[in-house]
Amino acid sequence: ILAENLSMDRQQLALLKVFSTFYQCCQLTTTIDIDWPRWSLITLPFSFPFSDSNCLLSGVGWNQQYTFYGMIYIPVLIIGALLYEIRSLPVGCIKRIERQELVGLILLLWYSPALQNATLMYWCYDDPEAGSVLVSDPTVSCNEIVTNIHMALVALGIGVMFPLFIIFETIKLRKNKKLFANSTWSCLFENYRPGAPYFEAVHLIRKGTIISAVVYYHSDPTSQALSQFIINCAFLLLLEFTRPMIHFSSSFYKGANLFHLIERWSAIATIFGNLLGLSGSYFFPDGGYGIKVVAGIFSAFNLIFATALIISYRRDTQAFAETTNERGSRSTIVSNRSSRLSVRSSIAGSVTANP
């Protein structure tokens, strides 16, 4: 609903994408295998819907397998319904563009949770009675062929093919000079300059690499935290080197690119969260009170940063809009004065020619 309401406002939609990416990366920080308190998970928007689904719905037989299938098929049905509606709308109409923006945002938001749920189906242990079962839900067996096929499809189709699709599709559009706002996939490149229309794929590869590192170092929390820190630092360096965002002048920072600033700040804030996770895994490997302190700082920092980001960004864009309106009013006044002078001159000329 929020994406649909903001779909025609590039400035607010850019904030929504950066905000969602930041919180997804914060959620990935909590995949570091330390004893995170449950209240710290609930403070993250993308953890809340499924963080306690097994507990809340255990009375009706819900388990991790249902969560896994739900994270696949519910978005597929929603995206399919939206694409069907898009086909029936004329090209270029506002409603069609809104639906395209919504499909793009759902795909981007779907990427990380789908991969994470697939990794939960990968972690197993041998139970003396039940055999190989999931670590996250011992009631689910690890030897089901259908589930393993779905895991492979998620890893290949979503984890690998979707970023590659963005890269090749945006490069092809750039080559054919079709990076237009009414393009079907404009939501994937509209906030990036023509030199780097593929950069949304970099965000996805960053998340996929973090998830892969967490799986690879599944029994070593310190290595998980260190790998996340290195990946996010590499992303920040790439962001500063390529500067992919289109330019939107900041009113408070002397014309600096506001879109680039919010991307930079969110990347730095993510790295700070990684450092907190690294300190928790290194100094408090056995959990205890120290982990709760780390989790409290992590949750408070994320909340303060997100609030400050939204407030400062909106004030900046509002100041820009007011300045633009003021300049427009001045231009209108000057134009009106010129028109009146032109009319007076023409009248004077006609009177002189025809006394």
Side-chain angles (χ1 to χ4, degrees):
I1 293 172
L2 183 60
E4 183 175 354
N5 292 335
L6 299 179
S7 59
M8 301 306 295
D9 189 334
R10 171 178 283 184
Q11 291 81 22
Q12 299 305 323
L13 194 61
L15 175 62
L16 179 61
K17 288 182 178 180
V18 172
F19 180 80
S20 61
T21 299
F22 166 70
Y23 262 117
Q24 281 197 333
C25 291
C26 289
Q27 201 275 331
L28 290 176
T29 301
T30 63
T31 60
I32 298 171
D33 192 16
I34 57 179
D35 190 20
W36 295 96
R38 287 193 176 274
W39 51 262
S40 66
L41 300 179
I42 294 176
T43 60
L44 301 176
F46 296 104
S47 288
F48 178 69
F50 295 102
S51 59
D52 284 322
S53 58
N54 294 349
C55 176
L56 296 174
L57 300 174
S58 59
V60 294
W62 189 273
N63 57 40
Q64 182 59 41
Q65 192 171 38
Y66 294 138
T67 301
F68 172 65
Y69 285 126
M71 284 299 299
I72 296 176
Y73 287 106
I74 292 176
V76 166
L77 291 174
I78 294 173
I79 292 171
L82 290 171
L83 291 176
Y84 180 80
E85 184 182 4
I86 289 172
R87 290 182 58 186
S88 64
L89 297 172
V91 177
C93 78
I94 294 178
K95 192 171 183 180
R96 182 186 178 100
I97 296 174
E98 290 177 349
R99 293 296 185 266
Q100 290 172 352
E101 293 281 0
L102 189 56
V103 169
L105 188 62
I106 290 174
L107 286 171
L108 296 176
L109 294 179
W110 185 33
Y111 182 85
S112 180
L115 289 182
Q116 285 183 261
N117 274 274
T119 60
L120 291 178
M121 304 301 291
Y122 172 80
W123 284 334
C124 304
Y125 75 98
D126 291 325
D127 184 82
E129 299 180 357
S132 181
V133 295
L134 296 182
V135 173
S136 59
D137 189 348
T139 64
V140 179
S141 173
C142 288
N143 298 320
E144 296 190 9
I145 297 177
V146 176
T147 302
N148 292 336
I149 292 174
H150 278 78
M151 289 169 54
L153 290 175
V154 168
L156 181 63
I158 301 176
V160 178
M161 298 304 295
F162 185 44
L164 290 178
F165 168 79
I166 294 176
I167 293 172
F168 288 114
E169 182 68 16
T170 53
I171 291 177
K172 183 179 73 173
L173 290 172
R174 182 180 63 183
K175 183 178 179 181
N176 296 329
K177 298 181 180 180
K178 293 183 178 180
L179 293 173
F180 302 138
N182 60 352
S183 171
T184 302
W185 301 107
S186 62
C187 55
L188 301 177
F189 62 78
E190 64 182 351
N191 292 318
Y192 303 105
R193 59 184 179 82
Y198 52 81
F199 203 80
E200 198 66 61
V202 177
H203 281 287
L204 299 183
I205 293 171
R206 167 198 184 191
K207 298 172 189 175
T209 307
I210 289 175
I211 293 171
S212 300
V214 169
V215 173
Y216 185 78
Y217 296 110
H218 65 277
S219 58
D220 189 350
T222 302
S223 296
Q224 289 176 336
L226 185 60
S227 61
Q228 290 198 23
F229 173 76
I230 293 173
I231 292 168
N232 285 316
C233 285
F235 171 80
L236 178 60
L237 291 176
L238 184 62
L239 179 71
E240 293 299 321
F241 179 76
T242 59
R243 293 184 173 268
M245 310 299 292
I246 60 173
H247 189 87
F248 183 82
S249 295
S250 170
S251 299
F252 297 154
Y253 297 97
K254 299 181 180 179
N257 188 352
L258 182 60
F259 287 171
H260 180 76
L261 289 178
I262 60 174
E263 283 278 15
R264 175 194 292 168
W265 293 335
S266 64
I268 294 173
T270 303
I271 291 173
F272 178 76
N274 295 153
L275 290 175
L276 288 174
L278 181 62
S279 64
S281 63
Y282 185 79
F283 293 107
F284 310 105
D286 299 326
Y289 183 75
I291 291 294
K292 294 181 179 180
V293 172
V294 170
I297 297 173
F298 176 74
S299 300
F301 173 78
N302 292 335
L303 180 61
I304 293 171
F305 172 77
T307 304
L309 179 68
I310 293 173
I311 293 174
S312 61
Y313 181 85
R314 289 190 171 177
R315 285 182 176 177
D316 201 313
T317 53
Q318 287 173 359
F320 177 83
E322 291 172 358
T323 303
T324 304
N325 291 335
E326 184 179 350
R327 289 176 181 174
S329 300
R330 290 176 180 175
S331 300
T332 302
I333 293 172
V334 171
S335 177
N336 290 338
R337 288 177 177 174
S338 300
S339 299
R340 288 195 294 268
L341 290 174
S342 177
V343 170
R344 289 175 181 175
S345 298
S346 62
I347 292 174
S350 62
V351 169
T352 304
N354 301 287

mmCIF file of all heavy atoms in Angstrom, residues 140-156:
data_model
loop_
_atom_site.group_PDB
_atom_site.id
_atom_site.type_symbol
_atom_site.label_atom_id
_atom_site.label_comp_id
_atom_site.label_asym_id
_atom_site.label_seq_id
_atom_site.Cartn_x
_atom_site.Cartn_y
_atom_site.Cartn_z
ATOM 1 N N VAL A 140 10.368 -31.278 11.562
ATOM 2 C CA VAL A 140 10.438 -31.344 10.098
ATOM 3 C C VAL A 140 11.655 -32.162 9.685
ATOM 4 O O VAL A 140 12.777 -31.901 10.134
ATOM 5 C CB VAL A 140 10.516 -29.932 9.481
ATOM 6 C CG1 VAL A 140 10.619 -30.014 7.959
ATOM 7 C CG2 VAL A 140 9.293 -29.120 9.887
ATOM 8 N N SER A 141 11.439 -33.125 8.814
ATOM 9 C CA SER A 141 12.516 -33.967 8.324
ATOM 10 C C SER A 141 13.317 -33.251 7.236
ATOM 11 O O SER A 141 12.790 -32.414 6.502
ATOM 12 C CB SER A 141 11.944 -35.270 7.766
ATOM 13 O OG SER A 141 12.963 -36.041 7.140
ATOM 14 N N CYS A 142 14.592 -33.603 7.125
ATOM 15 C CA CYS A 142 15.462 -32.989 6.113
ATOM 16 C C CYS A 142 15.554 -33.813 4.833
ATOM 17 O O CYS A 142 16.251 -33.416 3.906
ATOM 18 C CB CYS A 142 16.872 -32.820 6.671
ATOM 19 S SG CYS A 142 17.020 -31.527 7.904
ATOM 20 N N ASN A 143 14.883 -34.924 4.775
ATOM 21 C CA ASN A 143 15.064 -35.838 3.647
ATOM 22 C C ASN A 143 13.885 -35.847 2.686
ATOM 23 O O ASN A 143 13.641 -36.846 2.011
ATOM 24 C CB ASN A 143 15.303 -37.263 4.166
ATOM 25 C CG ASN A 143 16.574 -37.358 4.996
ATOM 26 O OD1 ASN A 143 17.583 -36.756 4.644
ATOM 27 N ND2 ASN A 143 16.524 -38.104 6.085
ATOM 28 N N GLU A 144 13.151 -34.742 2.591
ATOM 29 C CA GLU A 144 12.015 -34.689 1.690
ATOM 30 C C GLU A 144 12.455 -34.125 0.338
ATOM 31 O O GLU A 144 12.989 -33.023 0.248
ATOM 32 C CB GLU A 144 10.901 -33.824 2.289
ATOM 33 C CG GLU A 144 10.340 -34.409 3.586
ATOM 34 C CD GLU A 144 9.082 -33.691 4.032
ATOM 35 O OE1 GLU A 144 8.569 -32.872 3.241
ATOM 36 O OE2 GLU A 144 8.617 -33.948 5.158
ATOM 37 N N ILE A 145 12.207 -34.897 -0.707
ATOM 38 C CA ILE A 145 12.694 -34.552 -2.041
ATOM 39 C C ILE A 145 12.054 -33.261 -2.551
ATOM 40 O O ILE A 145 12.722 -32.399 -3.125
ATOM 41 C CB ILE A 145 12.414 -35.715 -3.021
ATOM 42 C CG1 ILE A 145 13.188 -36.956 -2.582
ATOM 43 C CG2 ILE A 145 12.805 -35.323 -4.442
ATOM 44 C CD1 ILE A 145 12.937 -38.179 -3.441
ATOM 45 N N VAL A 146 10.738 -33.101 -2.323
ATOM 46 C CA VAL A 146 10.037 -31.911 -2.824
ATOM 47 C C VAL A 146 10.616 -30.644 -2.197
ATOM 48 O O VAL A 146 10.837 -29.637 -2.885
ATOM 49 C CB VAL A 146 8.530 -32.023 -2.533
ATOM 50 C CG1 VAL A 146 7.809 -30.741 -2.952
ATOM 51 C CG2 VAL A 146 7.928 -33.219 -3.249
ATOM 52 N N THR A 147 10.896 -30.691 -0.915
ATOM 53 C CA THR A 147 11.471 -29.528 -0.235
ATOM 54 C C THR A 147 12.862 -29.218 -0.769
ATOM 55 O O THR A 147 13.213 -28.041 -0.994
ATOM 56 C CB THR A 147 11.537 -29.775 1.277
ATOM 57 O OG1 THR A 147 10.229 -30.049 1.775
ATOM 58 C CG2 THR A 147 12.110 -28.566 1.999
ATOM 59 N N ASN A 148 13.653 -30.250 -0.996
ATOM 60 C CA ASN A 148 15.001 -30.037 -1.530
ATOM 61 C C ASN A 148 14.967 -29.436 -2.934
ATOM 62 O O ASN A 148 15.801 -28.603 -3.282
ATOM 63 C CB ASN A 148 15.767 -31.360 -1.549
ATOM 64 C CG ASN A 148 16.064 -31.872 -0.147
ATOM 65 O OD1 ASN A 148 16.111 -31.093 0.806
ATOM 66 N ND2 ASN A 148 16.248 -33.175 -0.007
ATOM 67 N N ILE A 149 13.991 -29.847 -3.744
ATOM 68 C CA ILE A 149 13.842 -29.267 -5.087
ATOM 69 C C ILE A 149 13.481 -27.788 -4.986
ATOM 70 O O ILE A 149 14.027 -26.945 -5.711
ATOM 71 C CB ILE A 149 12.777 -30.036 -5.890
ATOM 72 C CG1 ILE A 149 13.271 -31.455 -6.196
ATOM 73 C CG2 ILE A 149 12.441 -29.293 -7.186
ATOM 74 C CD1 ILE A 149 12.236 -32.333 -6.857
ATOM 75 N N HIS A 150 12.571 -27.468 -4.071
ATOM 76 C CA HIS A 150 12.204 -26.059 -3.872
ATOM 77 C C HIS A 150 13.398 -25.237 -3.401
ATOM 78 O O HIS A 150 13.583 -24.086 -3.830
ATOM 79 C CB HIS A 150 11.066 -25.948 -2.865
ATOM 80 C CG HIS A 150 9.711 -26.190 -3.437
ATOM 81 N ND1 HIS A 150 9.234 -27.452 -3.710
ATOM 82 C CD2 HIS A 150 8.730 -25.334 -3.806
ATOM 83 C CE1 HIS A 150 8.011 -27.358 -4.206
ATOM 84 N NE2 HIS A 150 7.682 -26.087 -4.276
ATOM 85 N N MET A 151 14.216 -25.804 -2.522
ATOM 86 C CA MET A 151 15.407 -25.090 -2.055
ATOM 87 C C MET A 151 16.346 -24.782 -3.210
ATOM 88 O O MET A 151 16.875 -23.670 -3.324
ATOM 89 C CB MET A 151 16.131 -25.930 -0.998
ATOM 90 C CG MET A 151 15.413 -26.034 0.338
ATOM 91 S SD MET A 151 16.168 -27.287 1.403
ATOM 92 C CE MET A 151 17.869 -26.750 1.431
ATOM 93 N N ALA A 152 16.535 -25.758 -4.095
ATOM 94 C CA ALA A 152 17.414 -25.554 -5.248
ATOM 95 C C ALA A 152 16.853 -24.498 -6.190
ATOM 96 O O ALA A 152 17.597 -23.653 -6.716
ATOM 97 C CB ALA A 152 17.615 -26.878 -5.991
ATOM 98 N N LEU A 153 15.533 -24.513 -6.392
ATOM 99 C CA LEU A 153 14.907 -23.532 -7.271
ATOM 100 C C LEU A 153 15.018 -22.123 -6.696
ATOM 101 O O LEU A 153 15.246 -21.162 -7.434
ATOM 102 C CB LEU A 153 13.438 -23.899 -7.496
ATOM 103 C CG LEU A 153 13.172 -25.155 -8.343
ATOM 104 C CD1 LEU A 153 11.675 -25.461 -8.381
ATOM 105 C CD2 LEU A 153 13.702 -24.958 -9.760
ATOM 106 N N VAL A 154 14.855 -21.992 -5.377
ATOM 107 C CA VAL A 154 14.988 -20.680 -4.744
ATOM 108 C C VAL A 154 16.422 -20.173 -4.875
ATOM 109 O O VAL A 154 16.664 -19.009 -5.240
ATOM 110 C CB VAL A 154 14.575 -20.748 -3.261
ATOM 111 C CG1 VAL A 154 14.980 -19.473 -2.525
ATOM 112 C CG2 VAL A 154 13.079 -20.968 -3.135
ATOM 113 N N ALA A 155 17.387 -21.047 -4.583
ATOM 114 C CA ALA A 155 18.794 -20.641 -4.648
ATOM 115 C C ALA A 155 19.195 -20.251 -6.069
ATOM 116 O O ALA A 155 19.880 -19.242 -6.272
ATOM 117 C CB ALA A 155 19.682 -21.771 -4.141
ATOM 118 N N LEU A 156 18.753 -21.030 -7.054
ATOM 119 C CA LEU A 156 19.133 -20.761 -8.436
ATOM 120 C C LEU A 156 18.285 -19.654 -9.058
ATOM 121 O O LEU A 156 18.816 -18.692 -9.627
ATOM 122 C CB LEU A 156 19.016 -22.038 -9.269
ATOM 123 C CG LEU A 156 19.406 -21.925 -10.747
ATOM 124 C CD1 LEU A 156 20.880 -21.554 -10.877
ATOM 125 C CD2 LEU A 156 19.126 -23.237 -11.476
#
